[in-house]
Amino acid sequence: MNRFVMAVTAAVLATGVAHAEVTEEMLLNDTASTGDVLTNGMGRHLQRYSPLETLNKDNVKNLVPAWAFSLGGEKQRGQETQPLVHDGVMYITGSYSRMYAIDIKTGKEIWQYDARLPEGILPCCDVVNRGAAIFGDNIYFGTLDARMVALNAKTGDVVWNKKIADYKAGYSYTAAPLIVRGLVITGNSGGEFGIVGEVQARDAETGDLVWTRPVIEGHMGTLNGEESTMTGELNATWPGDMWKTGGGATWLGGSYDADTDTLVFGAGNPAPWNSHLRNAGTPVEGNKGDNLYAASRIGIDPATGEIKWHYQTTPREGWDYDGVNEVVAYTDRSDNKRWATADRNGFFYVLNREDGKFVSAVPFVKDITWAEGIDDTGRPIFIEEGRPGDPTAAADGKKGEVVFASPSFLGGKNWMPMAHSPKTGLFYVPSNEWGMDIWNEPITYKKGAAYLGSGFTIKPNYEDHIGSLKAIDPDTGEIKWEFKNDAPLWGGVMTTAGGLVFTGTPEGNFIAFDDETGEELWSFQTGSGIVGQPITWEQDGEQYVTVISGWGGAVPLWGGEVAKKVNYLNQGGLLWTFRLPAQLAAK
C-alpha cells in the first residue's frame, strides 16, 4: 500500500494525551513555551533558540540516549525534517513524503501516513521533506508531487488534500509549511525546470486558497479567487517572454515577524542559469538584466499576499545563487529590529526589519570570486571575468568560456538553517568552502525538462575541510569562532540559553559546542549522516534533545568531486532522542 495509516484509537488513548487544539497564541509564544515545539524554527522568527538552561556547558557531558525510532523500510535517502512536539506526541516527516506520530515518552509509533506519489515526479535534489506545521486539531505537510495535506493530528486521517502546482511541469514541494492566523502558507519547488516561484495561503480548516503571490514580474496574484495585482511591472527587468518561465522557486518556505506583521520568503535562481539569455550576462541599461524578483528576499502582507518590500541579494544572477536562505528576525545590541540572512552567494546580510532596506553585508566564506563586495546601496560589485561565458561568443556556439567560481552553486550556505542566540548576540552559520568549474550552454524551455543552460563540476577549495560552522557577530561581521569539518555540512543548527550550540555532520556525529568559544563539549555517533534539524524541550522536569540521522540531500546527487569524497557514507533513517537525567543535571 502506498498510503497507510496505523491509527488505532486504543493506541492513542494509551498515550494518555488530551490533544488540545493549537492556537495562534500558542504559535506566537512557541519559543518561550519550553514543553513543546510547535513551529519550524522553534519560533516563526526562525531563531532556533531555546531559553532552556537545565542542560548547560557543565552537564552536557551527561546527556544520554533516551530512545531511538527507525523510519524503516527501503525508503531512506536524506532525512532533513525538524520534529514538532505537542501534548506528548512528536511529529516528523520522512523521505518520500511520509509522516509519523510518535509517543515522546517511549518512542513508540502511534500512526504513520504515506502519501500516494505518482510516477514521474521530478524532485531536483533528493526526495527529502523538511517538516510539518500544526494548528487546531490538524498537522500539515507537503508532498513531492506538489500537494499540501492536512491530517488529523490524533488519528492521521486525511482532512483535506490540495494541489499546489502541476508536478508534470517540474513543480514539487519539500519545505515545512508556515501557519499565520489560520492560514497555511507555502512556497513551491522546481527552480531547475522553468517553473514560476509562488507563495500561497490556504484556509487551515478547508484547504481553500485565500491568496497567491507569484514572485516573478509579470504574473498576476489572486485574492479570494479574483485577480489582485501584478507582481512588479511586465518586462521591467526581463527580456521578451522569459518571465513566463522565470524560475524563482520559493522552495525553502518562509518566516513571520509579528512585530511588523510580515511574511518573508526567499526566491530562488532565475531560469535558465545561462544569464546571457536573460540579458544579465553583460551590464545593460537600468536594471533590465536584474530579473526580479528572483534571487531576492520578499516581504509579504499575510492577509492579502501583497508585496511590501523586496531586497535582491544577487541581481544579474548567473551562478545558481538562490535567494531562498531563511530570513531571521532579531533585535541587535542597540535595540534595532533587524533581519539576518546568510546567502548562497557567500555574503551575510543584515536588513532593516521595518522595510527590508539594506543595512550591511560581509562575506562569511573565503575566496568569493563573483563579486568584490557589496556597495553602500546593497548592490554587488561584480567581478565580470568571474561570470561564465556566453556560448554565442564561442567558436562552436555550444559552450561558453569555463570559469572557476566560488562559492559553488550549492552555496556558501544552502538550505541548512542557522541559529541565533539573543544571549550572545551571535549567529551560528553552517557553511561550506567549495567552488566549481562552470560554463554556459544553449538551452530552450520544454515543459517538464531541466532548464539550466549550464554545466558544472564542484571542487573543494581546501584539502583540510569543506564544512565550516561559524559564529558570526551581526553587528560587526566578525567571525568569533569556526569549527572545520572534512565533509560538507548539510544539517541545521540549534542554540540554547544553557550556552550550547548543536549540529550534526555527514560523518554521523551529533555535536554540542560552547556558544562563546566553539569548544566541542559532547558528541554522539548516530550511525548515518546528519542532515536534519535538532530541537530541545522539557518533560517531567528533564531536558530532552532530538535530531534525525539519515544521509542524503543534494550533495551526493550534485556534488561532483565532493560527492566522490563522501560516497562511503551510509544512508539511514533513525530519530535519536537524548535526555539529561535529573540526578545528573547538577554534576
Side-chain angles (χ1 to χ4, degrees):
M1 298 174 66
N2 289 328
R3 177 220 182 266
F4 81 99
V5 174
M6 295 177 59
V8 181
T9 302
V12 176
L13 293 176
T15 68
V17 172
H19 289 282
E21 287 191 358
V22 174
T23 65
E24 170 67 17
E25 183 179 6
M26 292 166 68
L27 298 178
L28 184 65
N29 296 317
D30 187 33
T31 298
S33 176
T34 55
D36 50 28
V37 178
L38 301 177
T39 59
N40 179 263
M42 298 170 61
R44 291 181 295 191
H45 47 40
L46 305 188
Q47 289 184 4
R48 301 178 186 275
Y49 169 80
S50 171
L52 285 170
E53 51 189 2
T54 304
L55 182 67
N56 56 51
K57 298 176 187 181
D58 295 327
N59 60 26
V60 67
K61 62 181 181 292
N62 297 323
L63 194 63
V64 296
W67 50 262
F69 175 84
S70 173
L71 274 63
E74 298 178 357
K75 294 181 177 180
Q76 295 184 18
R77 304 282 288 273
Q79 307 297 343
E80 295 185 355
T81 190
Q82 183 215 284
L84 300 178
V85 175
H86 175 57
D87 267 353
V89 179
M90 180 177 291
Y91 300 93
I92 65 166
T93 58
S95 56
Y96 294 97
S97 306
R98 294 173 290 169
M99 169 81 78
Y100 300 82
I102 304 161
D103 185 330
I104 62 171
K105 290 188 176 182
T106 65
K108 181 180 179 181
E109 180 178 301
I110 299 172
W111 56 257
Q112 177 181 338
Y113 172 87
D114 284 22
R116 190 187 300 274
L117 295 175
E119 297 291 332
I121 56 173
L122 297 167
C124 102
C125 308
D126 206 357
V127 290
V128 301
N129 191 288
R130 299 186 175 97
I134 189 168
F135 182 72
D137 291 324
N138 296 335
I139 186 101
Y140 306 84
F141 84 118
T143 66
L144 287 167
D145 58 337
R147 304 190 72 87
M148 180 56 47
V149 182
L151 305 174
N152 181 281
K154 184 176 181 180
T155 66
D157 292 330
V158 176
V159 178
W160 53 257
N161 185 329
K162 301 289 185 178
K163 179 179 177 180
I164 295 173
D166 180 11
Y167 75 89
K168 294 180 181 179
Y171 288 91
S172 55
Y173 189 81
T174 56
L178 178 64
I179 307 286
V180 176
R181 294 200 298 274
L183 296 177
V184 183
I185 300 165
T186 60
N188 59 19
S189 303
E192 275 55 71
F193 295 93
I195 58 88
V196 174
E198 186 174 80
V199 181
Q200 298 181 352
R202 283 183 163 76
D203 183 287
E205 291 188 9
T206 65
D208 294 338
L209 270 176
V210 176
W211 56 257
T212 65
R213 174 52 53 191
V215 300
I216 297 298
E217 284 183 333
H219 295 270
M220 295 297 298
T222 65
L223 178 62
N224 297 321
E226 303 290 336
E227 284 192 343
S228 55
T229 56
M230 179 183 288
T231 300
E233 179 184 343
L234 183 62
N235 289 127
T237 63
W238 291 83
D241 287 341
M242 297 203 74
W243 59 276
K244 292 182 178 179
T245 52
T250 51
W251 59 266
L252 196 51
S255 60
Y256 173 68
D257 174 43
D259 290 344
T260 59
D261 192 26
T262 304
L263 301 169
V264 183
F265 272 72
N269 58 284
W273 289 18
N274 182 345
S275 62
H276 300 276
L277 291 173
R278 297 181 274 102
N279 287 350
T282 55
V284 292
E285 182 180 353
N287 60 353
K288 191 69 176 179
D290 284 0
N291 309 137
L292 291 170
Y293 293 122
S296 298
R297 308 307 197 275
I298 304 169
I300 299 174
D301 184 331
T304 65
E306 293 296 327
I307 293 176
K308 293 180 164 187
W309 54 260
H310 80 276
Y311 174 71
Q312 189 170 39
T313 47
T314 316
R316 298 177 55 221
E317 200 285 312
W319 304 266
D320 190 36
Y321 293 152
D322 278 24
V324 300
N325 286 24
E326 75 279 11
V327 182
V328 179
Y330 77 104
T331 302
D332 70 13
R333 296 183 181 92
S334 299
D335 291 327
N336 297 304
K337 293 180 179 179
R338 301 300 197 202
W339 300 105
T341 186
D343 199 86
R344 243 156 103 157
N345 68 20
F347 288 92
F348 182 94
Y349 296 85
V350 175
L351 308 178
N352 180 38
R353 214 185 325 156
E354 297 291 342
D355 54 15
K357 290 191 179 301
F358 174 78
V359 174
S360 66
V362 294
F364 66 93
V365 294
K366 310 175 187 72
D367 304 323
I368 293 173
T369 63
W370 69 276
E372 296 178 11
I374 309 298
D375 69 20
D376 291 341
T377 70
R379 193 171 178 88
I381 305 168
F382 289 99
I383 301 172
E384 295 300 340
E385 58 269 28
R387 181 182 297 274
D390 184 353
T392 64
D396 60 3
K398 294 182 179 180
K399 183 175 181 179
E401 180 185 1
V402 180
V403 301
F404 179 76
S406 180
S408 80
F409 79 91
L410 288 178
K413 189 174 95 65
N414 198 276
W415 83 276
M416 57 278 194
M418 63 186 182
H420 171 66
S421 171
K423 187 174 180 180
T424 65
L426 302 178
F427 279 85
Y428 303 95
V429 182
S431 67
N432 290 302
E433 304 281 357
W434 46 18
M436 61 181 171
D437 289 332
I438 182 171
W439 59 93
N440 286 326
E441 304 166 340
I443 188 74
T444 56
Y445 173 76
K446 181 180 179 181
K447 181 180 176 179
Y451 190 44
L452 300 186
S454 291
F456 47 83
T457 301
I458 294 181
K459 301 177 177 181
N461 283 0
Y462 306 106
E463 292 184 1
D464 66 332
H465 75 288
I466 300 173
S468 169
L469 176 65
K470 299 179 173 78
I472 298 176
D473 187 328
D475 295 343
T476 65
E478 181 184 358
I479 296 175
K480 295 292 188 179
W481 56 260
E482 178 182 12
F483 162 75
K484 295 179 179 179
N485 194 68
D486 184 52
L489 294 181
W490 209 252
V493 181
M494 175 185 70
T495 186
T496 75
L500 302 172
V501 175
F502 287 89
T503 197
T505 72
E507 295 91 340
N509 294 315
F510 187 41
I511 307 173
F513 300 90
D514 184 306
D515 63 357
E516 295 177 302
T517 68
E519 178 188 356
E520 293 184 47
L521 302 176
W522 173 89
S523 67
F524 182 88
Q525 173 54 241
T526 64
S528 183
I530 296 175
V531 295
Q533 308 167 60
I535 62 166
T536 187
W537 80 97
E538 62 181 353
Q539 172 188 314
D540 300 328
E542 296 181 331
Q543 188 169 346
Y544 287 73
V545 178
T546 292
V547 72
I548 197 164
S549 174
W551 172 238
V555 174
L557 298 175
W558 293 77
E561 293 183 17
V562 171
K564 296 177 183 177
K565 185 180 178 72
V566 295
N567 62 7
Y568 70 94
L569 297 173
N570 292 320
Q571 291 187 351
L574 200 63
L575 184 75
W576 287 95
T577 291
F578 306 89
R579 65 185 273 263
L580 176 66
Q583 64 270 29
L584 299 178
K587 296 182 180 181

